[in-house]
Amino acid sequence: MLVIDTSTPAVTAGVVDVASGVVLAARATVDARAHAEVLTPSIAAALAEAGIDRRDLTAVVAGAGPGPFTGLRVGLVTAAALADALRIPAYPVCSLDAIAAAAGPGRTLVASDARRREVYWASYAGGRRRSDPDVSRPGDLAGRLPELGCTAMAGAGAALYADVLGLPVVAPAYPPVGALAGLATARVLERAPPEALTPIYLRRPDAAPQAMR
Amino acid sequence: MGEGPLVLGIETSCDETGVGVVRGEVLLADAVASSVESHARYGGVVPEVAARAHLEAMVPTMHRALDESGVALDDVDAIAVTVGPGLAGALLVGVAAGKAYAFAAGKPLYGVNHLAAHVAVDVVEHGTLPAPCVALLVSGGHTHLLHVREVAGGIEELGSTLDDAAGEAFDKVGRLLGLQFPGGPHLDVAARAGNPAAIAFPRGLTGPRDAPYDFSFSGLKTAVGRWVAACERAGHEVPVADVAASFQEAVADVLTAKAVRACRDVGVADLILAGGVAANSRVHALARERCDGAGIRLRVPRPRLCTDNGAMIAALGARMVTTGVPPAGLGVRTDPGLPVTGMAPAGR
Ligand SMILES: [Zn+2]
């Protein structure tokens, strides 16, 4: 399967063998302004490295965020278009879940950079997400940490606001290809119906109109 | 007919998600999904609302275009996509989709200039563009007078607006008169019941020493605002139809006078009127009248093709294939500020 995530500055593409879970190729280019420029060339390079023809792909798995909107959409529209053109199913996964899965089964806070001095976050225990992803100021989130009972934190947002949040930072910073794939493996194996790649926005659009037609 | 490259075009520069299919100069499909109604309550296009709508509409619009054309993705010779100018986040959705479809189908990807495509689309209506010709491109974001030797890479700008675009003036005056967004089409309708000579609004940059091919509409917009305010202060009901007709007449007068003059000065006998404002009935009619008087052949695409759509991107893409412009490749970037004479920015 092909794996894509653009919910963070790491433009991520990889190829994973569904049956074994082995990551055949993975690329992550950290550049918050180049998602659309880099992604499809990265996909092409990952497929070449894995020695897989695009027509032999069986599914596309895409991180649905939460993440900054513009980059997130690039990954989701790319995944949707590839799945459409190759006539294979696409499945969304929560990008924070992938970071948590890679961080391990402890009581973990996962936070990614939401820009505007906020983080997208969710808390995990025993490998399960304990509530829907949310967007908060690091200071407000720090105030909730005692109640959440987390003992470590992962994600680039956690590292960025480590001084405010105060928990030990563990890897990974960005959603890894293998973890993203793992979240969808069951659906791919049982040939579950394809799902809409709906972005997890968590914020309403800024309503400042701009004329241009 | 029925010859030339088979090209699929994707357009997402503003609030229309468009996918079109063209074979050479023949239109096979023109599917458009518009988010204009989502923007109406804001009184203008909201970039983030537009970008969200593009993501939702992309695959369904692609299917409609392929169904309408009876063409399979595997059959096309190339995929063309708007790389600019336009709203940054909106452009990225189309370009990402264009790259994915091109890669999946194994087709070359062409990066298209949205403004040149407004001119190029006329080939599907009236056949090969006369070369050279003059084009007056008027839309919500742009007002340009162009000397077109070759629409795929041989455009020279004669002049442009120094402030507001013509369509922007329509939107602003429409708002002033309490008309719905977008102002252009609603103002066109309101003006039909009015007297275009009722109020003598100013014609910007038409003095003997002014730049002959440049435009200015902000003074006109201000004059309309002052006139309406004075009317309200005096306790009179604003004669919306007369104000609309007189404003529209001032815009049409300046646009068409300068376009006809450009044709004469440059020595060409063909004028293409393109862009959303070309769909305005008075701009179209006055252009026709003045071109007839000056012995200039006027070409105007049907209104549906004047506003943003994917067919125009496919049409220019097909011309780029025909004239040997190299494909942009999967690394191509967007350029929200791409000039009318600009080509697709290559990837790094
Ligand atoms: Zn346009």
Side-chain angles (χ1 to χ4, degrees):
Chain A
M1 71 179 114
L2 180 69
V3 176
I4 293 171
D5 189 282
T6 58
S7 66
T8 71
V11 185
T12 301
V15 182
V16 176
D17 179 66
V18 182
S20 67
V22 170
V23 177
L24 302 175
R27 313 213 150 213
T29 309
V30 180
D31 185 343
R33 297 170 152 269
H35 287 87
E37 189 183 335
V38 166
L39 181 58
T40 297
S42 288
I43 292 167
L47 283 165
E49 189 188 321
I52 302 284
D53 188 286
R54 62 186 189 281
R55 283 159 297 201
D56 294 331
L57 288 167
T58 53
V60 181
V61 172
F69 309 152
T70 302
L72 180 60
R73 271 191 292 268
V74 165
L76 293 175
V77 80
T78 300
L82 284 172
D84 180 38
L86 297 170
R87 296 193 186 84
I88 55 177
Y91 304 103
V93 299
C94 170
S95 303
L96 299 177
D97 289 0
I99 295 173
R107 298 181 77 88
T108 312
L109 173 76
V110 173
S112 64
D113 184 10
R115 308 217 186 116
R116 303 185 200 174
R117 300 176 166 275
E118 290 187 319
V119 290
Y120 295 117
W121 66 274
S123 71
Y124 297 80
R128 298 207 122 145
R129 175 150 41 78
R130 299 167 71 205
S131 59
D132 286 341
D134 204 351
V135 59
S136 303
R137 286 198 200 128
D140 297 343
L141 178 55
R144 294 189 55 185
L145 286 177
E147 136 205 5
L148 294 168
C150 295
T151 54
M153 58 183 185
L160 183 61
Y161 296 106
D163 52 339
V164 184
L165 296 169
L167 293 174
V169 176
V170 298
Y174 302 119
V177 165
L180 289 159
L183 294 169
T185 297
R187 282 175 279 174
V188 177
L189 284 174
E190 69 200 26
R191 297 172 193 270
E195 296 167 32
L197 300 179
T198 307
I200 305 170
Y201 282 125
L202 301 185
R203 279 180 184 144
R204 297 178 153 280
D206 287 334
Q210 182 175 338
M212 174 92 93
R213 275 194 315 286
Chain B
M1 302 298 267
E3 298 193 354
L6 181 61
V7 178
L8 181 137
I10 299 173
E11 153 64 29
T12 64
S13 69
C14 190
D15 58 348
E16 324 275 359
T17 312
V19 181
V21 182
V22 165
R23 189 190 297 278
E25 297 183 341
V26 179
L27 178 64
L28 301 181
D30 169 25
V32 174
S34 177
S35 64
V36 66
E37 281 172 16
S38 319
H39 305 285
R41 67 197 176 99
Y42 302 106
V45 174
V46 181
E48 176 60 22
V49 171
R52 290 184 180 194
H54 287 309
L55 174 60
E56 283 178 33
M58 178 53 62
V59 171
T61 308
M62 173 67 66
H63 285 193
R64 274 171 49 214
L66 292 174
D67 287 352
E68 204 180 296
S69 63
V71 161
L73 202 55
D74 284 340
D75 301 334
V76 307
D77 295 308
I79 293 178
V81 63
T82 304
V83 294
L87 302 171
L91 287 168
L92 286 171
V93 176
V95 167
K99 288 182 180 190
Y101 277 111
F103 172 66
K107 307 296 180 183
L109 181 69
Y110 287 77
V112 167
N113 183 318
H114 176 89
L115 299 176
H118 267 303
V119 178
V121 75
D122 191 60
V123 301
V124 306
E125 195 90 288
H126 302 108
T128 309
L129 288 182
C133 62
V134 165
L136 173 61
L137 171 55
V138 271
S139 71
H142 298 275
T143 305
H144 299 277
L145 252 178
L146 306 170
H147 186 199
V148 182
R149 289 189 183 81
E150 166 53 59
V151 74
I155 295 178
E156 179 198 343
E157 184 173 81
L158 299 169
S160 67
T161 183
L162 305 181
D163 39 60
D164 292 352
E168 202 178 340
F170 270 95
D171 284 345
K172 286 177 177 172
V173 168
R175 208 173 304 156
L176 203 79
L177 294 175
L179 303 174
Q180 270 179 285
F181 174 83
H186 291 105
L187 199 141
D188 194 345
V189 172
R192 274 171 215 167
N195 173 7
I199 310 151
F201 285 128
R203 269 68 169 160
L205 292 184
T206 50
R209 276 196 294 270
D210 287 330
Y213 311 130
D214 283 338
F215 302 90
S216 167
F217 295 107
S218 81
L220 169 61
K221 171 198 69 190
T222 308
V224 175
R226 284 214 192 98
W227 196 94
V228 168
C231 185
E232 282 166 345
R233 258 201 317 278
H236 301 308
E237 194 182 325
V238 177
V240 170
D242 283 351
V243 175
S246 300
F247 160 78
Q248 182 172 271
E249 190 66 18
V251 175
D253 183 18
V254 174
L255 287 176
T256 57
K258 291 193 177 226
V260 168
R261 174 167 176 188
C263 290
R264 278 216 198 94
D265 292 356
V266 174
V268 307
D270 295 273
L271 174 66
I272 318 289
L273 184 55
V277 177
N280 177 273
S281 64
R282 184 55 189 157
V283 172
H284 189 157
L286 192 57
R288 178 73 61 199
E289 189 184 314
R290 286 184 170 164
C291 284
D292 286 351
I296 295 164
R297 289 181 292 266
L298 176 69
R299 295 173 39 150
V300 190
R302 78 193 86 147
R304 158 91 195 201
L305 293 176
C306 285
T307 50
D308 293 350
N309 60 79
M312 66 193 234
I313 308 307
L316 181 48
R319 182 69 189 174
M320 291 165 82
V321 174
T322 302
T323 58
V325 175
L330 298 178
V332 67
R333 284 178 289 143
T334 56
D335 182 356
L338 187 69
V340 66
T341 51
M343 301 294 274
R348 282 171 286 185

PDB file of all heavy atoms in Angstrom, chain A residues 165-199:
ATOM      1  N   LEU A 165       4.956  22.668  28.421  1.00  0.00           N
ATOM      2  CA  LEU A 165       4.210  21.438  28.714  1.00  0.00           C
ATOM      3  C   LEU A 165       4.910  20.597  29.796  1.00  0.00           C
ATOM      4  O   LEU A 165       4.254  19.901  30.569  1.00  0.00           O
ATOM      5  CB  LEU A 165       4.012  20.621  27.434  1.00  0.00           C
ATOM      6  CG  LEU A 165       3.145  21.346  26.376  1.00  0.00           C
ATOM      7  CD1 LEU A 165       3.198  20.616  25.029  1.00  0.00           C
ATOM      8  CD2 LEU A 165       1.697  21.474  26.838  1.00  0.00           C
ATOM      9  N   GLY A 166       6.239  20.658  29.801  1.00  0.00           N
ATOM     10  CA  GLY A 166       6.993  20.122  30.936  1.00  0.00           C
ATOM     11  C   GLY A 166       7.129  18.604  31.056  1.00  0.00           C
ATOM     12  O   GLY A 166       7.657  18.123  32.053  1.00  0.00           O
ATOM     13  N   LEU A 167       6.658  17.836  30.078  1.00  0.00           N
ATOM     14  CA  LEU A 167       6.829  16.376  30.145  1.00  0.00           C
ATOM     15  C   LEU A 167       8.062  15.970  29.343  1.00  0.00           C
ATOM     16  O   LEU A 167       8.485  16.695  28.441  1.00  0.00           O
ATOM     17  CB  LEU A 167       5.601  15.670  29.561  1.00  0.00           C
ATOM     18  CG  LEU A 167       4.273  15.798  30.318  1.00  0.00           C
ATOM     19  CD1 LEU A 167       3.158  15.171  29.508  1.00  0.00           C
ATOM     20  CD2 LEU A 167       4.391  15.145  31.690  1.00  0.00           C
ATOM     21  N   PRO A 168       8.634  14.802  29.641  1.00  0.00           N
ATOM     22  CA  PRO A 168       9.752  14.337  28.816  1.00  0.00           C
ATOM     23  C   PRO A 168       9.294  14.049  27.374  1.00  0.00           C
ATOM     24  O   PRO A 168       8.216  13.476  27.182  1.00  0.00           O
ATOM     25  CB  PRO A 168      10.222  13.051  29.510  1.00  0.00           C
ATOM     26  CG  PRO A 168       9.182  12.721  30.511  1.00  0.00           C
ATOM     27  CD  PRO A 168       8.351  13.920  30.777  1.00  0.00           C
ATOM     28  N   VAL A 169      10.110  14.493  26.423  1.00  0.00           N
ATOM     29  CA  VAL A 169       9.760  14.331  25.010  1.00  0.00           C
ATOM     30  C   VAL A 169      10.329  13.011  24.489  1.00  0.00           C
ATOM     31  O   VAL A 169      11.504  12.728  24.673  1.00  0.00           O
ATOM     32  CB  VAL A 169      10.315  15.493  24.165  1.00  0.00           C
ATOM     33  CG1 VAL A 169      10.022  15.274  22.682  1.00  0.00           C
ATOM     34  CG2 VAL A 169       9.717  16.817  24.632  1.00  0.00           C
ATOM     35  N   VAL A 170       9.464  12.223  23.859  1.00  0.00           N
ATOM     36  CA  VAL A 170       9.934  10.983  23.238  1.00  0.00           C
ATOM     37  C   VAL A 170       9.671  11.043  21.732  1.00  0.00           C
ATOM     38  O   VAL A 170       8.886  11.858  21.262  1.00  0.00           O
ATOM     39  CB  VAL A 170       9.220   9.742  23.849  1.00  0.00           C
ATOM     40  CG1 VAL A 170       9.540   9.636  25.337  1.00  0.00           C
ATOM     41  CG2 VAL A 170       7.708   9.810  23.632  1.00  0.00           C
ATOM     42  N   ALA A 171      10.318  10.139  20.977  1.00  0.00           N
ATOM     43  CA  ALA A 171      10.119  10.084  19.526  1.00  0.00           C
ATOM     44  C   ALA A 171       8.758   9.436  19.258  1.00  0.00           C
ATOM     45  O   ALA A 171       8.245   8.702  20.121  1.00  0.00           O
ATOM     46  CB  ALA A 171      11.243   9.275  18.888  1.00  0.00           C
ATOM     47  N   PRO A 172       8.180   9.652  18.078  1.00  0.00           N
ATOM     48  CA  PRO A 172       8.706  10.439  16.965  1.00  0.00           C
ATOM     49  C   PRO A 172       8.155  11.869  16.948  1.00  0.00           C
ATOM     50  O   PRO A 172       7.202  12.164  17.652  1.00  0.00           O
ATOM     51  CB  PRO A 172       8.176   9.660  15.760  1.00  0.00           C
ATOM     52  CG  PRO A 172       6.840   9.163  16.220  1.00  0.00           C
ATOM     53  CD  PRO A 172       6.985   8.874  17.697  1.00  0.00           C
ATOM     54  N   ALA A 173       8.762  12.699  16.105  1.00  0.00           N
ATOM     55  CA  ALA A 173       8.298  14.069  15.947  1.00  0.00           C
ATOM     56  C   ALA A 173       7.159  14.130  14.922  1.00  0.00           C
ATOM     57  O   ALA A 173       6.248  14.947  15.037  1.00  0.00           O
ATOM     58  CB  ALA A 173       9.455  14.959  15.494  1.00  0.00           C
ATOM     59  N   TYR A 174       7.241  13.252  13.923  1.00  0.00           N
ATOM     60  CA  TYR A 174       6.260  13.282  12.826  1.00  0.00           C
ATOM     61  C   TYR A 174       5.660  11.888  12.640  1.00  0.00           C
ATOM     62  O   TYR A 174       6.252  10.896  13.058  1.00  0.00           O
ATOM     63  CB  TYR A 174       6.946  13.731  11.526  1.00  0.00           C
ATOM     64  CG  TYR A 174       7.598  15.086  11.634  1.00  0.00           C
ATOM     65  CD1 TYR A 174       8.978  15.240  11.450  1.00  0.00           C
ATOM     66  CD2 TYR A 174       6.843  16.212  11.937  1.00  0.00           C
ATOM     67  CE1 TYR A 174       9.583  16.484  11.560  1.00  0.00           C
ATOM     68  CE2 TYR A 174       7.440  17.460  12.049  1.00  0.00           C
ATOM     69  CZ  TYR A 174       8.811  17.592  11.857  1.00  0.00           C
ATOM     70  OH  TYR A 174       9.390  18.827  11.969  1.00  0.00           O
ATOM     71  N   PRO A 175       4.508  11.782  11.973  1.00  0.00           N
ATOM     72  CA  PRO A 175       3.894  10.448  11.798  1.00  0.00           C
ATOM     73  C   PRO A 175       4.756   9.558  10.897  1.00  0.00           C
ATOM     74  O   PRO A 175       4.977   9.902   9.737  1.00  0.00           O
ATOM     75  CB  PRO A 175       2.556  10.747  11.112  1.00  0.00           C
ATOM     76  CG  PRO A 175       2.346  12.228  11.230  1.00  0.00           C
ATOM     77  CD  PRO A 175       3.688  12.852  11.390  1.00  0.00           C
ATOM     78  N   PRO A 176       5.249   8.418  11.409  1.00  0.00           N
ATOM     79  CA  PRO A 176       6.085   7.548  10.579  1.00  0.00           C
ATOM     80  C   PRO A 176       5.234   6.690   9.640  1.00  0.00           C
ATOM     81  O   PRO A 176       4.088   6.358   9.948  1.00  0.00           O
ATOM     82  CB  PRO A 176       6.790   6.650  11.594  1.00  0.00           C
ATOM     83  CG  PRO A 176       6.430   7.175  12.947  1.00  0.00           C
ATOM     84  CD  PRO A 176       5.173   7.965  12.796  1.00  0.00           C
ATOM     85  N   VAL A 177       5.826   6.334   8.515  1.00  0.00           N
ATOM     86  CA  VAL A 177       5.124   5.569   7.478  1.00  0.00           C
ATOM     87  C   VAL A 177       4.581   4.246   8.028  1.00  0.00           C
ATOM     88  O   VAL A 177       3.418   3.892   7.816  1.00  0.00           O
ATOM     89  CB  VAL A 177       6.073   5.315   6.281  1.00  0.00           C
ATOM     90  CG1 VAL A 177       5.525   4.227   5.357  1.00  0.00           C
ATOM     91  CG2 VAL A 177       6.274   6.611   5.508  1.00  0.00           C
ATOM     92  N   GLY A 178       5.423   3.514   8.773  1.00  0.00           N
ATOM     93  CA  GLY A 178       5.002   2.208   9.262  1.00  0.00           C
ATOM     94  C   GLY A 178       3.800   2.304  10.200  1.00  0.00           C
ATOM     95  O   GLY A 178       2.874   1.484  10.137  1.00  0.00           O
ATOM     96  N   ALA A 179       3.797   3.319  11.056  1.00  0.00           N
ATOM     97  CA  ALA A 179       2.698   3.486  12.006  1.00  0.00           C
ATOM     98  C   ALA A 179       1.417   3.912  11.292  1.00  0.00           C
ATOM     99  O   ALA A 179       0.317   3.458  11.619  1.00  0.00           O
ATOM    100  CB  ALA A 179       3.075   4.509  13.068  1.00  0.00           C
ATOM    101  N   LEU A 180       1.542   4.777  10.317  1.00  0.00           N
ATOM    102  CA  LEU A 180       0.371   5.186   9.522  1.00  0.00           C
ATOM    103  C   LEU A 180      -0.249   3.959   8.853  1.00  0.00           C
ATOM    104  O   LEU A 180      -1.461   3.749   8.875  1.00  0.00           O
ATOM    105  CB  LEU A 180       0.775   6.216   8.447  1.00  0.00           C
ATOM    106  CG  LEU A 180       1.153   7.624   8.940  1.00  0.00           C
ATOM    107  CD1 LEU A 180       2.011   8.342   7.885  1.00  0.00           C
ATOM    108  CD2 LEU A 180      -0.094   8.455   9.256  1.00  0.00           C
ATOM    109  N   ALA A 181       0.621   3.140   8.262  1.00  0.00           N
ATOM    110  CA  ALA A 181       0.149   1.938   7.569  1.00  0.00           C
ATOM    111  C   ALA A 181      -0.559   0.997   8.541  1.00  0.00           C
ATOM    112  O   ALA A 181      -1.624   0.452   8.239  1.00  0.00           O
ATOM    113  CB  ALA A 181       1.321   1.231   6.901  1.00  0.00           C
ATOM    114  N   GLY A 182       0.046   0.827   9.735  1.00  0.00           N
ATOM    115  CA  GLY A 182      -0.504  -0.093  10.714  1.00  0.00           C
ATOM    116  C   GLY A 182      -1.938   0.236  11.101  1.00  0.00           C
ATOM    117  O   GLY A 182      -2.759  -0.658  11.343  1.00  0.00           O
ATOM    118  N   LEU A 183      -2.250   1.530  11.130  1.00  0.00           N
ATOM    119  CA  LEU A 183      -3.597   1.947  11.527  1.00  0.00           C
ATOM    120  C   LEU A 183      -4.663   1.566  10.498  1.00  0.00           C
ATOM    121  O   LEU A 183      -5.853   1.572  10.806  1.00  0.00           O
ATOM    122  CB  LEU A 183      -3.623   3.471  11.743  1.00  0.00           C
ATOM    123  CG  LEU A 183      -2.776   3.992  12.906  1.00  0.00           C
ATOM    124  CD1 LEU A 183      -2.658   5.506  12.855  1.00  0.00           C
ATOM    125  CD2 LEU A 183      -3.384   3.554  14.242  1.00  0.00           C
ATOM    126  N   ALA A 184      -4.224   1.261   9.270  1.00  0.00           N
ATOM    127  CA  ALA A 184      -5.198   0.942   8.217  1.00  0.00           C
ATOM    128  C   ALA A 184      -5.089  -0.497   7.728  1.00  0.00           C
ATOM    129  O   ALA A 184      -5.893  -0.931   6.905  1.00  0.00           O
ATOM    130  CB  ALA A 184      -5.008   1.900   7.040  1.00  0.00           C
ATOM    131  N   THR A 185      -4.094  -1.218   8.246  1.00  0.00           N
ATOM    132  CA  THR A 185      -3.843  -2.567   7.720  1.00  0.00           C
ATOM    133  C   THR A 185      -5.073  -3.469   7.753  1.00  0.00           C
ATOM    134  O   THR A 185      -5.387  -4.160   6.777  1.00  0.00           O
ATOM    135  CB  THR A 185      -2.683  -3.231   8.490  1.00  0.00           C
ATOM    136  OG1 THR A 185      -1.513  -2.440   8.256  1.00  0.00           O
ATOM    137  CG2 THR A 185      -2.438  -4.648   8.000  1.00  0.00           C
ATOM    138  N   ALA A 186      -5.805  -3.437   8.878  1.00  0.00           N
ATOM    139  CA  ALA A 186      -6.978  -4.303   9.001  1.00  0.00           C
ATOM    140  C   ALA A 186      -7.989  -3.989   7.899  1.00  0.00           C
ATOM    141  O   ALA A 186      -8.542  -4.892   7.260  1.00  0.00           O
ATOM    142  CB  ALA A 186      -7.612  -4.128  10.377  1.00  0.00           C
ATOM    143  N   ARG A 187      -8.217  -2.690   7.668  1.00  0.00           N
ATOM    144  CA  ARG A 187      -9.183  -2.291   6.634  1.00  0.00           C
ATOM    145  C   ARG A 187      -8.716  -2.730   5.245  1.00  0.00           C
ATOM    146  O   ARG A 187      -9.517  -3.157   4.409  1.00  0.00           O
ATOM    147  CB  ARG A 187      -9.402  -0.777   6.660  1.00  0.00           C
ATOM    148  CG  ARG A 187     -10.314  -0.309   7.787  1.00  0.00           C
ATOM    149  CD  ARG A 187     -10.407   1.206   7.843  1.00  0.00           C
ATOM    150  NE  ARG A 187      -9.264   1.796   8.521  1.00  0.00           N
ATOM    151  CZ  ARG A 187      -9.036   3.108   8.603  1.00  0.00           C
ATOM    152  NH1 ARG A 187      -9.856   3.968   8.007  1.00  0.00           N
ATOM    153  NH2 ARG A 187      -7.998   3.573   9.256  1.00  0.00           N
ATOM    154  N   VAL A 188      -7.403  -2.610   5.004  1.00  0.00           N
ATOM    155  CA  VAL A 188      -6.885  -3.006   3.691  1.00  0.00           C
ATOM    156  C   VAL A 188      -7.038  -4.512   3.495  1.00  0.00           C
ATOM    157  O   VAL A 188      -7.500  -4.977   2.455  1.00  0.00           O
ATOM    158  CB  VAL A 188      -5.409  -2.589   3.529  1.00  0.00           C
ATOM    159  CG1 VAL A 188      -4.853  -3.078   2.179  1.00  0.00           C
ATOM    160  CG2 VAL A 188      -5.256  -1.073   3.644  1.00  0.00           C
ATOM    161  N   LEU A 189      -6.678  -5.270   4.554  1.00  0.00           N
ATOM    162  CA  LEU A 189      -6.730  -6.734   4.447  1.00  0.00           C
ATOM    163  C   LEU A 189      -8.150  -7.258   4.255  1.00  0.00           C
ATOM    164  O   LEU A 189      -8.381  -8.180   3.491  1.00  0.00           O
ATOM    165  CB  LEU A 189      -6.097  -7.374   5.689  1.00  0.00           C
ATOM    166  CG  LEU A 189      -4.567  -7.331   5.742  1.00  0.00           C
ATOM    167  CD1 LEU A 189      -4.068  -7.866   7.083  1.00  0.00           C
ATOM    168  CD2 LEU A 189      -3.957  -8.130   4.581  1.00  0.00           C
ATOM    169  N   GLU A 190      -9.095  -6.655   4.960  1.00  0.00           N
ATOM    170  CA  GLU A 190     -10.470  -7.161   4.831  1.00  0.00           C
ATOM    171  C   GLU A 190     -11.219  -6.469   3.700  1.00  0.00           C
ATOM    172  O   GLU A 190     -12.428  -6.620   3.579  1.00  0.00           O
ATOM    173  CB  GLU A 190     -11.210  -7.055   6.166  1.00  0.00           C
ATOM    174  CG  GLU A 190     -11.528  -5.645   6.630  1.00  0.00           C
ATOM    175  CD  GLU A 190     -11.800  -5.584   8.131  1.00  0.00           C
ATOM    176  OE1 GLU A 190     -11.286  -6.459   8.863  1.00  0.00           O
ATOM    177  OE2 GLU A 190     -12.499  -4.662   8.561  1.00  0.00           O
ATOM    178  N   ARG A 191     -10.485  -5.707   2.887  1.00  0.00           N
ATOM    179  CA  ARG A 191     -11.084  -4.995   1.742  1.00  0.00           C
ATOM    180  C   ARG A 191     -12.314  -4.200   2.160  1.00  0.00           C
ATOM    181  O   ARG A 191     -13.388  -4.295   1.549  1.00  0.00           O
ATOM    182  CB  ARG A 191     -11.468  -5.965   0.627  1.00  0.00           C
ATOM    183  CG  ARG A 191     -10.263  -6.689   0.058  1.00  0.00           C
ATOM    184  CD  ARG A 191     -10.689  -7.770  -0.910  1.00  0.00           C
ATOM    185  NE  ARG A 191      -9.581  -8.658  -1.223  1.00  0.00           N
ATOM    186  CZ  ARG A 191      -8.726  -8.465  -2.225  1.00  0.00           C
ATOM    187  NH1 ARG A 191      -8.846  -7.424  -2.999  1.00  0.00           N
ATOM    188  NH2 ARG A 191      -7.748  -9.322  -2.439  1.00  0.00           N
ATOM    189  N   ALA A 192     -12.158  -3.448   3.222  1.00  0.00           N
ATOM    190  CA  ALA A 192     -13.256  -2.609   3.709  1.00  0.00           C
ATOM    191  C   ALA A 192     -13.635  -1.596   2.629  1.00  0.00           C
ATOM    192  O   ALA A 192     -12.808  -1.251   1.787  1.00  0.00           O
ATOM    193  CB  ALA A 192     -12.817  -1.885   4.973  1.00  0.00           C
ATOM    194  N   PRO A 193     -14.890  -1.138   2.633  1.00  0.00           N
ATOM    195  CA  PRO A 193     -15.280  -0.140   1.639  1.00  0.00           C
ATOM    196  C   PRO A 193     -14.395   1.110   1.757  1.00  0.00           C
ATOM    197  O   PRO A 193     -14.021   1.479   2.871  1.00  0.00           O
ATOM    198  CB  PRO A 193     -16.733   0.211   2.021  1.00  0.00           C
ATOM    199  CG  PRO A 193     -17.163  -0.806   3.005  1.00  0.00           C
ATOM    200  CD  PRO A 193     -15.949  -1.488   3.553  1.00  0.00           C
ATOM    201  N   PRO A 194     -14.055   1.732   0.626  1.00  0.00           N
ATOM    202  CA  PRO A 194     -13.234   2.945   0.690  1.00  0.00           C
ATOM    203  C   PRO A 194     -13.940   4.037   1.488  1.00  0.00           C
ATOM    204  O   PRO A 194     -15.166   4.060   1.560  1.00  0.00           O
ATOM    205  CB  PRO A 194     -13.079   3.352  -0.775  1.00  0.00           C
ATOM    206  CG  PRO A 194     -14.036   2.526  -1.554  1.00  0.00           C
ATOM    207  CD  PRO A 194     -14.399   1.347  -0.736  1.00  0.00           C
ATOM    208  N   GLU A 195     -13.158   4.903   2.111  1.00  0.00           N
ATOM    209  CA  GLU A 195     -13.731   5.956   2.947  1.00  0.00           C
ATOM    210  C   GLU A 195     -13.354   7.322   2.400  1.00  0.00           C
ATOM    211  O   GLU A 195     -12.294   7.476   1.798  1.00  0.00           O
ATOM    212  CB  GLU A 195     -13.210   5.815   4.378  1.00  0.00           C
ATOM    213  CG  GLU A 195     -13.656   4.511   5.058  1.00  0.00           C
ATOM    214  CD  GLU A 195     -12.876   4.262   6.342  1.00  0.00           C
ATOM    215  OE1 GLU A 195     -12.497   5.231   7.021  1.00  0.00           O
ATOM    216  OE2 GLU A 195     -12.641   3.074   6.655  1.00  0.00           O
ATOM    217  N   ALA A 196     -14.233   8.286   2.647  1.00  0.00           N
ATOM    218  CA  ALA A 196     -13.945   9.657   2.219  1.00  0.00           C
ATOM    219  C   ALA A 196     -12.743  10.188   2.990  1.00  0.00           C
ATOM    220  O   ALA A 196     -12.633   9.968   4.196  1.00  0.00           O
ATOM    221  CB  ALA A 196     -15.153  10.547   2.466  1.00  0.00           C
ATOM    222  N   LEU A 197     -11.841  10.865   2.281  1.00  0.00           N
ATOM    223  CA  LEU A 197     -10.642  11.409   2.926  1.00  0.00           C
ATOM    224  C   LEU A 197     -10.965  12.813   3.444  1.00  0.00           C
ATOM    225  O   LEU A 197     -10.537  13.810   2.884  1.00  0.00           O
ATOM    226  CB  LEU A 197      -9.472  11.424   1.948  1.00  0.00           C
ATOM    227  CG  LEU A 197      -9.078  10.047   1.391  1.00  0.00           C
ATOM    228  CD1 LEU A 197      -7.917  10.189   0.413  1.00  0.00           C
ATOM    229  CD2 LEU A 197      -8.707   9.086   2.511  1.00  0.00           C
ATOM    230  N   THR A 198     -11.721  12.846   4.525  1.00  0.00           N
ATOM    231  CA  THR A 198     -12.151  14.138   5.067  1.00  0.00           C
ATOM    232  C   THR A 198     -11.107  14.682   6.025  1.00  0.00           C
ATOM    233  O   THR A 198     -10.742  13.997   6.993  1.00  0.00           O
ATOM    234  CB  THR A 198     -13.494  13.971   5.801  1.00  0.00           C
ATOM    235  OG1 THR A 198     -14.413  13.334   4.911  1.00  0.00           O
ATOM    236  CG2 THR A 198     -14.051  15.312   6.243  1.00  0.00           C
ATOM    237  N   PRO A 199     -10.617  15.901   5.794  1.00  0.00           N
ATOM    238  CA  PRO A 199      -9.598  16.454   6.685  1.00  0.00           C
ATOM    239  C   PRO A 199     -10.158  16.729   8.075  1.00  0.00           C
ATOM    240  O   PRO A 199     -11.319  17.099   8.218  1.00  0.00           O
ATOM    241  CB  PRO A 199      -9.199  17.778   6.022  1.00  0.00           C
ATOM    242  CG  PRO A 199      -9.987  17.897   4.779  1.00  0.00           C
ATOM    243  CD  PRO A 199     -11.020  16.835   4.737  1.00  0.00           C
TER     244      PRO A 199
END
